[in-house]
Amino acid sequence: MSDDQRLTDASYARDTPALRPSTPVALSVKSHLVEPRRPVTTLMPTTGALIDSYGRIHDDLRISITDRCNLRCVYCMSEDMTFQPREQLLDFDEIERVARVARGLGVTAIRLTGGEPLVRRGVVDLVKRLGALGFTDIAMTTNATRLAALAAPLREAGLTRVNISCDSLRPERYASIRRRGDLATVLAAMDVAESVGLAPLKVNVVLLRGINDDEMLDFARFARSTGRVVRFIEFMPLDASGEWSRERLVAGRAVFDALNAVWPLEPVDEPGRVAPAERFRFRDGVGEIGLISTVTQPFCGTCNRLRLTPDGAIRNCLFSDEEHTLRDLLRSGCTDADVELVLRRAVWAKFPGHAINEPGFLRPHRSMSMIGG
Ligand code: SAM
Ligand code: SF4
């Protein structure tokens, strides 16, 4: 499949002719970003950075500290979610140990996620412990329902950044997408987070066709008026209900066109930056947005992430079912060298890219909240 085909794939091109790109200027995907073509070497190194067989260095560890959550967002959880027994989750000593070994292998950035990380008791203490390990960045993705009270202690403990999920700016719609919680609490938490220095704030928005895609411009206005970076995330086949479909997905390119038609956008150039979000600023200098087009414009070619699930498995990709379990090893008196070997093997085994757009793609068995988004 060519890159152009990939870009015009999905429901966007089929369903929204009015939004077809008039200026295909900024959203160009270079072929090497989509996925690497062949392994660069066949021998797994046992020293140096965490590298996979395609030469991608992994320096970003996503740690999911719980699979529990106080919300039930329609694109993530089902109403009848069951959760892992607590004793199966890694405790903070175990999480800290994996993080310390990873730090020694060149991991510089940590993101705490879940489930909802702020429902795990003692999270401030965990941030403090991770902060002592010398990471340059300790970020968190949260639904912010409990952030207002925790923002200051988290900042003091060493949290550097926070991404807040918020899929609608209309109270009733917010409640219907997230099934619990309320918008006012989340907006208030954003103010508190900024006031304690967790800024610039990023706001994650999952757009669902026919549900909240009519709010693209409202969110752009929000980004422009608040200085918060709104990141539009494509709906991924990781919902617990198994209701994902391309028809529900709103492609990043459609968002770009809709916004660009009203407030022209230009890419934010960042040589050497590795990140899933394509960044754009409004050409009049007011505000910035990001597009996370995981499905229609995969960024696997530069992926530098590995994940630690709440129950202690290392996953090298959200969309791969392959897991390298650490928990039992950690609980059986292993050495740090054993932990290192599991990390190295997990990274080494990474596929060149996810296969969502290939025939025969199978949804991962575990959904987003069980892996860590
Ligand atoms: N509970 C926290 C929150 O909502 O921010 C952190 C965990 S949540 C799984 C992390 C991110 O994944 C959120 O921004 C959420 O909107 C996003 N997410 C969850 N399910 C998704 C899906 N099926 N497709 C795309 N994004 C999803
Ligand atoms: Fe909970 Fe976050 Fe999933 Fe929503 S997206 S159900 S807040 S884990």
Side-chain angles (χ1 to χ4, degrees):
M1 181 189 284
S2 76
D3 297 334
D4 279 345
Q5 279 170 315
R6 221 179 268 273
L7 287 175
T8 53
D9 188 19
S11 55
Y12 157 62
R14 281 201 312 275
D15 305 346
T16 54
L19 291 177
R20 282 210 176 99
S22 49
T23 45
V25 33
L27 285 182
S28 62
V29 171
K30 296 182 179 62
S31 59
H32 73 276
L33 290 182
V34 174
E35 58 184 58
R37 297 285 175 237
R38 65 181 69 82
V40 292
T41 167
T42 51
L43 280 181
M44 184 184 88
T46 51
T47 57
L50 282 170
I51 191 167
D52 71 14
S53 66
Y54 295 86
R56 293 168 295 194
I57 289 177
H58 288 61
D59 56 8
D60 182 330
L61 176 63
R62 315 248 138 177
I63 303 179
S64 175
I65 61 173
T66 179
D67 59 341
R68 287 159 202 265
C69 185
N70 52 347
L71 305 186
R72 294 287 183 278
C73 305
V74 291
Y75 54 78
C76 179
M77 287 193 168
S78 55
E79 275 287 11
D80 60 350
M81 289 299 286
T82 52
F83 301 108
Q84 306 242 33
R86 284 178 206 282
E87 64 276 9
Q88 288 188 16
L89 303 188
L90 292 195
D91 65 27
F92 287 171
D93 289 340
E94 291 164 335
I95 293 175
E96 185 186 352
R97 183 168 181 204
V98 177
R100 184 167 38 74
V101 174
R103 178 72 198 97
L105 299 175
V107 169
T108 53
I110 292 274
R111 175 168 296 276
L112 297 178
T113 180
E116 172 49 41
L118 296 184
V119 303
R120 177 107 189 228
R121 213 172 299 135
V123 60
V124 174
D125 182 44
L126 177 65
V127 170
K128 197 178 287 174
R129 291 168 73 164
L130 296 175
L133 299 177
F135 293 99
T136 51
D137 190 21
I138 303 180
M140 179 181 284
T141 304
T142 172
N143 63 31
T145 50
R146 298 191 178 179
L147 183 62
L150 288 168
L154 283 169
R155 179 78 179 119
E156 212 169 300
L159 194 73
T160 47
R161 295 183 300 130
V162 70
N163 289 15
I164 293 179
S165 306
C166 178
D167 309 303
S168 176
L169 295 171
R170 305 179 192 178
E172 282 178 19
R173 186 180 282 171
Y174 175 95
S176 80
I177 294 176
R178 312 220 102 193
R179 292 198 187 116
R180 291 159 174 63
D182 74 293
L183 178 63
T185 304
V186 172
L187 293 177
M190 290 184 194
D191 292 339
V192 176
E194 284 171 336
S195 73
V196 302
L198 291 168
L201 206 68
K202 291 182 184 163
V203 178
N204 289 355
V205 181
V206 177
L207 286 178
L208 303 170
R209 183 172 304 287
I211 295 186
N212 63 349
D213 57 335
D214 57 349
E215 288 191 61
M216 287 180 210
L217 294 180
D218 291 346
F219 272 112
R221 228 171 262 118
F222 178 81
R224 290 169 60 79
S225 64
T226 61
R228 295 167 187 157
V229 180
V230 173
R231 293 144 36 104
F232 297 94
I233 303 176
E234 287 181 356
F235 182 24
M236 302 173 214
L238 287 168
D239 56 313
S241 311
E243 285 171 11
W244 179 85
S245 74
R246 287 184 186 275
E247 284 61 45
R248 274 272 177 252
L249 176 158
V250 181
R253 189 157 191 162
V255 180
F256 175 84
D257 287 339
L259 269 47
N260 190 44
V262 181
W263 298 286
L265 290 161
E266 61 188 12
V268 177
D269 284 331
E270 293 171 290
R273 173 177 171 266
V274 178
E278 275 193 289
R279 291 176 59 188
F280 297 94
R281 64 180 150 239
F282 294 100
R283 279 198 201 150
D284 60 8
V286 183
E288 179 182 325
I289 60 136
L291 301 176
I292 302 184
S293 311
T294 312
V295 178
T296 65
Q297 291 188 57
F299 39 84
C300 308
T302 56
C303 183
N304 63 341
R305 298 163 169 206
L306 73 160
R307 296 184 145 79
L308 178 62
T309 66
D311 55 350
I314 296 289
R315 258 177 105 113
N316 58 26
C317 176
L318 266 177
F319 300 99
S320 161
D321 268 333
E322 191 176 297
E323 294 191 349
H324 300 249
T325 180
L326 264 176
R327 188 190 59 215
D328 295 344
L329 193 68
L330 289 167
R331 292 180 184 178
S332 63
C334 71
T335 65
D336 284 356
D338 296 328
V339 177
E340 173 179 339
L341 195 60
V342 172
L343 291 173
R344 285 195 184 281
R345 283 193 178 139
V347 171
W348 186 251
K350 188 159 175 151
F351 290 117
H354 71 55
I356 300 175
N357 298 310
E358 307 300 329
F361 168 74
L362 294 176
R363 300 168 53 89
H365 286 101
R366 299 226 266 177
S367 58
M368 181 76 103
S369 64
M370 293 191 262
I371 305 166

